[in-house]
Every structure is written in C-alpha cells, then in structure tokens.
Amino acid sequence: MANQKPVVVVIEDDPPIRRFLRTGLSTHDFVVFEADNGRQGIVEAGVRKPDLVILDLGLPDMDGVEVVKLIREWSAMPIIILSARSSEQSKIEALDAGADDYLTKPFGLGELLARTRVALRRWLRVPEQDPSGIFTTGNLQVDLLNRWVQIDGKEVHLTPIQYRLLSVLVQNAGKVLTHRQILKDVWGPSHAESSHYLRIYMSQLRQKLEEDPTQPKYLLTESGVGYRLRV
C-alpha cells in the first residue's frame, strides 16, 4: 500500500453527495468507484476489492444494513456508514451488522477523512502492533500474547474480566463496538442485555489506564451506542 492509492467504493444514491465524496476523496489521493444502489454497490465491492466502503443506509433498492450483512459474508473490509438517520437505534443496527463507523448527515469532509484514516489503519494493521506483536497507542501498551499491560512503561494489574474487556477493544482498535457486541464477546450471549456490567468495568478500566478517567484519551464513549479504543 505504500506506493498505491487506497481504493474506496462509495454506495450512495444522492448524486450531489456522491459528487462531493468523489471530489473530496480524489483530492486526498483516493481512487473512487461509485454505485447508486445496494446491489450495484455489492458488485463493485466484490470486483474492486476496495480498502474501504462508504455506504448510505437509505438506498432505493435495499436497506444499507442488508448491504453490510451481505459484504460481511465474505469480507472484513472497513465500512463507514453515512446516513440521515440519526437515531441511536439506527447506528446500533448498522454497527451490530458489521459496520466499522457511522457519520450522520450533514457531515464535514475533514471528519470523514479522519474516520477513514482510522478505519484504514485498523484494516492495514499499521499502528496497532510492532514486529513483536505489541499494541501501542500513546503511552498505553498491550501484549496480547504474553498478557501484560503497561502505562508509561509501568505494568498495570488488571482482573481477568478487565483484561478480557481491554483485549476485545484492542483486537478491534479504532472500531466502534456496540454495548451488545462487547457484552457478548466478554461475558457471553446470555449477558447481551446486561449493560450495567459493561459500565462498571469500563469505569474500572479507565481508573487504571487513563490519566483523567473523566476525560479519557483511549477508552472513548460513543454516546448511546458503545465504545471505541482510540488508535
């Protein structure tokens, strides 16, 4: 990828927004392919093998959530949702289906580019690990193989559940994870609705890892939706 421009497939039925995305992304060295409906978008994603998909939910032929599910049957490529649907439930449905991020229209190009960079870093595995397999972001280091966590080079003791919660976030660094996704991965399917567990343990984790737990730098809250580990 060092000598190649990243490829993006934009699936959006609104011509002005599609034109805005094409111009903005092309200006920032992306190769852009377009589709104005879900079925064409799935074909483009399959043929182009892009590094990223940008997807509107309100498509004329099918719901964008279905597009996410169909792509996820064969690829883990990053998918960023752009939608006028601003409800938390819409965000949760798209993220639970496998989307990586969600921007509500209207949106700024700067924010979209920032989210795109995060998604691509996660997909390309550039910032997460050095050759030894250690995840690093800021002054936080996590070695999933040897099961240790350090802040400023000093080891931090975590309980088994705290460590499991952090591991899930590290393995999905940069991606928004819904409460349900995290609960299923950490506690199991029977606890998918037990959000109070997650709030308690996330608070404990912030106390141990954040310089100021009330203004976290790493363990970020996506209001009403879930959490993201910043990369």
Side-chain angles (χ1 to χ4, degrees):
M1 280 296 298
N3 299 314
Q4 276 186 308
K5 294 182 178 180
V7 175
V8 179
V9 167
V10 173
I11 308 174
E12 166 66 65
D13 67 321
D14 188 321
I17 293 179
R18 213 165 53 242
R19 185 165 58 249
F20 169 76
L21 291 170
R22 179 175 65 248
T23 302
L25 291 168
S26 298
T27 301
H28 288 81
D29 292 326
F30 289 87
V31 176
V32 182
F33 296 96
E34 303 171 34
D36 61 6
N37 63 67
R39 288 180 175 81
Q40 182 189 351
I42 292 167
V43 171
E44 286 291 320
V47 171
R48 306 297 180 184
K49 299 294 190 294
D51 300 291
L52 181 82
V53 170
I54 296 176
L55 171 66
D56 180 27
L57 290 184
L59 298 169
D61 60 336
M62 60 194 303
D63 192 274
V65 172
E66 291 304 313
V67 176
V68 174
K69 291 178 180 178
L70 289 168
I71 291 176
R72 282 290 172 260
E73 289 180 359
W74 53 270
S75 177
M77 68 179 70
I79 301 174
I80 296 179
I81 301 296
L82 298 179
S83 181
R85 303 176 194 172
S86 59
S87 73
E88 291 175 357
Q89 187 57 39
S90 293
K91 296 179 182 180
I92 289 168
E93 287 177 2
L95 293 165
D96 274 342
D100 291 77
D101 209 341
Y102 194 116
L103 270 73
T104 303
K105 297 176 182 177
F107 60 91
L109 180 62
E111 182 179 10
L112 174 63
L113 289 170
R115 303 284 186 106
T116 298
R117 287 192 293 271
V118 169
L120 286 175
R121 286 201 301 269
R122 178 177 174 270
W123 175 237
L124 299 172
R125 304 294 183 193
V126 172
E128 285 121 272
Q129 297 179 353
D130 65 15
S132 66
I134 298 173
F135 170 90
T136 302
T137 178
N139 61 353
L140 171 65
Q141 287 190 312
V142 182
D143 186 334
L144 294 177
L145 180 62
N146 296 300
R147 297 177 65 87
W148 57 253
V149 179
Q150 291 184 348
I151 290 286
D152 288 327
K154 298 177 182 178
E155 192 154 357
V156 179
H157 173 72
L158 300 180
T159 68
I161 290 182
Q162 289 169 356
Y163 180 80
R164 195 151 65 241
L165 172 57
L166 180 60
S167 298
V168 169
L169 293 168
V170 166
Q171 289 162 1
N172 295 277
K175 179 177 179 178
V176 180
L177 295 178
T178 65
H179 298 122
R180 177 184 290 268
Q181 286 173 309
I182 298 172
L183 285 162
K184 287 171 65 178
D185 285 348
V186 177
W187 283 274
S190 63
H191 291 84
E193 305 300 330
S194 305
S195 58
H196 59 286
Y197 285 139
L198 183 52
R199 287 194 298 270
I200 292 168
Y201 279 94
M202 185 61 72
S203 175
Q204 293 174 354
L205 207 51
R206 283 173 170 161
Q207 291 290 334
K208 292 185 175 182
L209 300 181
E210 298 283 2
E211 183 177 349
D212 181 357
T214 64
Q215 297 184 5
K217 294 192 302 181
Y218 305 120
L219 305 171
L220 306 182
T221 297
E222 297 288 336
S223 183
V225 176
Y227 297 97
R228 177 209 307 262
L229 177 62
R230 175 177 283 161
V231 295

